[in-house]
Amino acid sequence: MAAGTAVLPPQTTSTPSASSSAAGVEVDINASLETILSEARQMAEKKDHHNLRQLIIDNRPKLLQVSKAKAAKMVRTLIDLYLDMEAKTGVEIQLCKDCIEWATTEKRIFLRQNLQARLVELYFTFGQFQDGIDLAAKLLDELKKVDDKSLLVEVFLHESRIYHALGNISKARASLTSARTTVTTIYCPPKLQAQLDLQSGIIHASEEKDFKTAYSYFYEAFEGFDSVSSPHALRALKYMLLCKIIMNQADEVKSIVSGKLALKYNGRDIDALKNIATAYHEKQLLVYKNYVQEYSDVFQSDPVMVHHLKKLYERLMEQNLCRVVQPYSTVHVRKVAELIELPEADVEKKLSQMILDGLLRGTIDQGSGVLELFQTDDKDKTYEAVLETIQNLEKVMTCLYDKSKKLTYLN
């Protein structure tokens, strides 16, 4: 090589890099996932549960091309869209089980746990309580080991609902307490916080009879559900109105439903509770009963509403019976039934219960069908007299004991 001659580097041809190609593939996959989500949301809006279910099944292979976290989020979103329609087609549990089986096969542990948490909720919705308790117990043990607090809160909440439905109030309250304790250490999405508030309100209203506190929880739940446009906002609003009726504040129902947030939920459900509130406020037992029957489609699907409406009916019946029998010392049960326009058998049963509970002082002669009421001043005061005597004797004995101690000291 001659002196002074420069050596040029070999020229290279420009080819697309592997990273650029991978980026392009990732963009295509993300675009495809966005398209799937868009189609799913449209189907959910149209309540097209059949095609949405098929969309979830058909697009599972595409999820193998993305990260496990992204795939889990995608499947959970699609399942949530399907279940939030609340179509109750009867295939929800099987669809969830199929997705769990797929996630297990593909070793998507996080996804499997998320789907199992939703399956616990489905077991509650469809009344398969024992299956829900068994799955929740296994899942809680697993989640505590990996310290997945967000999912722990969900499972505790569903477990509380199941125990409450079974009437095991102590365990329902314990599960709810665990959920509320755990949620203080993490960020809680508005929808989940609203679900916790709703369950807290239900337990305070149904078991502790603390309707003022329950109303506060229902109000918080209503605001939370409304902020995320959840259909459960209407349920929370109905519970708010129910609490006002139970607290003898039925006149506040109209002001609540005419508020800015509640105004858009006006419809048959709200009309039902407004009519119930009016009938209860005016002590119209028969009108109340007719409204409950007329709006049975609104109430029958909700065990909480059914429970409290039944209690309200019993309370209203007691008030009407006390008012009707008050002027009498002896009256035929048949006559009482005619005055309040209810079947004689129902009236006799209720009067007997009121006598046993001490709400009425009297007796029913079943042979003649006559209710005999005792005068209030005929109450036997023996118990109070004996109790007062014992208290006075105790004072005397204490006084004598003190004097004996002084005499002993002087001697």
Side-chain angles (χ1 to χ4, degrees):
M1 180 180 296
T5 304
V7 180
L8 297 174
Q11 295 197 2
T12 58
T13 57
S14 59
T15 59
S17 65
S19 60
S20 298
S21 177
V25 171
E26 186 176 354
V27 169
D28 291 341
I29 292 174
N30 289 335
S32 178
L33 294 180
E34 286 298 325
T35 302
I36 294 169
L37 273 178
S38 178
E39 291 178 6
R41 290 191 180 101
Q42 291 175 6
M43 292 175 183
E45 289 176 3
K46 297 176 182 177
K47 306 294 183 182
D48 187 359
H49 55 83
H50 176 75
N51 285 328
L52 180 53
R53 176 173 175 268
Q54 198 59 44
L55 180 74
I56 295 171
I57 296 172
D58 293 342
N59 285 282
R60 284 175 188 163
K62 292 183 181 179
L63 299 177
L64 299 175
Q65 304 174 32
V66 298
S67 66
K68 291 184 177 181
K70 186 177 289 186
K73 184 179 179 181
M74 182 71 178
V75 173
R76 181 64 189 265
T77 302
L78 292 174
I79 291 291
D80 286 347
L81 285 171
Y82 183 85
L83 298 180
D84 285 346
M85 289 190 294
E86 296 185 348
K88 294 189 177 180
T89 59
V91 299
E92 287 88 347
I93 290 179
Q94 190 56 49
L95 174 63
C96 202
K97 284 182 176 180
D98 290 343
C99 291
I100 290 171
E101 186 178 349
W102 176 80
T104 304
T105 304
E106 298 299 329
K107 298 181 180 179
R108 306 290 178 105
I109 298 173
F110 177 70
L111 174 58
R112 172 183 59 77
Q113 292 171 341
N114 271 266
L115 292 173
Q116 284 179 326
R118 201 65 203 262
L119 182 57
V120 174
E121 183 180 11
L122 284 175
Y123 281 142
F124 163 72
T125 302
F126 286 92
Q128 299 182 22
F129 300 136
Q130 190 56 52
D131 291 334
I133 290 174
D134 294 341
L135 180 58
K138 294 177 183 177
L139 191 55
L140 285 172
D141 288 340
E142 188 175 343
L143 293 173
K144 287 174 183 176
K145 292 176 183 178
V146 297
D147 199 29
D148 190 340
K149 293 182 179 178
S150 179
L151 210 52
L152 269 172
V153 173
E154 288 188 42
V155 181
F156 275 131
L157 173 61
H158 301 326
E159 187 181 51
S160 175
R161 288 171 170 171
I162 293 173
Y163 278 128
H164 181 262
L166 290 171
N168 193 333
I169 307 306
S170 59
K171 287 191 175 182
R173 193 181 288 109
S175 296
L176 181 62
T177 302
S178 298
R180 298 195 74 91
T181 302
T182 307
V183 83
T184 58
T185 61
I186 59 170
Y187 165 74
C188 184
K191 185 177 180 181
L192 181 58
Q193 183 62 57
Q195 290 175 331
L196 289 170
D197 289 333
L198 188 69
Q199 181 66 6
S200 298
I202 289 172
I203 289 181
H204 273 81
S206 300
E207 311 309 328
E208 299 178 15
K209 312 301 180 187
D210 185 358
F211 296 103
K212 186 175 181 180
T213 304
Y215 177 84
S216 301
Y217 277 122
F218 290 142
Y219 183 78
E220 294 294 332
F222 171 64
E223 285 191 326
F225 285 132
D226 181 74
S227 68
V228 295
S229 301
S230 170
H232 293 295
L234 177 59
R235 185 184 177 198
L237 177 59
K238 286 160 63 178
Y239 290 169
M240 287 168 56
L241 302 181
L242 188 63
C243 283
K244 286 297 182 182
I245 297 171
I246 295 172
M247 290 189 293
N248 291 314
Q249 298 172 357
D251 53 327
E252 296 185 21
V253 169
K254 290 183 180 179
S255 61
I256 293 173
V257 298
S258 59
K260 184 178 179 181
L261 280 179
L263 198 59
K264 61 183 176 182
Y265 295 99
N266 279 335
R268 181 171 171 78
D269 295 63
I270 301 303
D271 289 341
L273 281 165
K274 288 194 316 190
N275 289 329
I276 289 289
T278 302
Y280 186 79
H281 182 66
E282 296 175 356
K283 311 298 182 186
Q284 297 177 331
L285 180 62
L286 189 60
V287 175
Y288 178 95
K289 183 179 180 181
N290 290 337
Y291 277 137
V292 171
Q293 293 175 348
E294 180 183 346
Y295 293 102
S296 59
D297 57 310
V298 174
F299 303 129
Q300 290 302 319
S301 60
D302 190 335
V304 176
M305 292 292 293
V306 171
H307 171 78
H308 287 293
L309 287 174
K310 184 179 179 181
K311 292 292 183 183
L312 278 175
Y313 177 76
E314 291 176 357
R315 186 195 297 180
L316 192 55
M317 189 175 181
E318 289 172 0
Q319 292 171 354
N320 276 262
L321 285 173
C322 287
R323 176 176 54 82
V324 168
V325 304
Q326 186 178 10
Y328 301 98
S329 59
T330 304
V331 61
H332 282 276
V333 175
R334 182 180 66 256
K335 179 64 175 178
V336 177
E338 290 173 0
L339 290 172
I340 65 172
E341 301 179 88
L342 287 177
E344 184 178 347
D346 293 349
V347 172
E348 183 176 345
K349 180 180 178 181
K350 188 61 182 177
L351 287 171
S352 301
Q353 183 183 340
M354 291 172 67
I355 291 171
L356 290 172
D357 292 342
L359 299 175
L360 280 180
R361 296 194 66 249
T363 183
I364 296 178
D365 184 346
Q366 292 186 332
S368 59
V370 172
L371 170 66
E372 297 179 8
L373 294 170
F374 304 144
Q375 296 299 320
T376 53
D377 56 359
D378 291 341
K379 186 178 179 182
D380 190 353
K381 298 182 178 179
T382 305
Y383 176 77
E384 288 83 354
V386 170
L387 188 61
E388 185 180 357
T389 302
I390 293 173
Q391 290 173 342
N392 290 333
L393 283 172
E394 184 182 8
K395 291 177 182 178
V396 171
M397 293 300 294
T398 303
C399 184
L400 290 173
Y401 177 74
D402 291 339
K403 287 185 177 181
S404 67
K405 283 179 65 178
K406 289 180 181 178
L407 289 172
T408 304
Y409 176 75
L410 291 174
N411 292 334

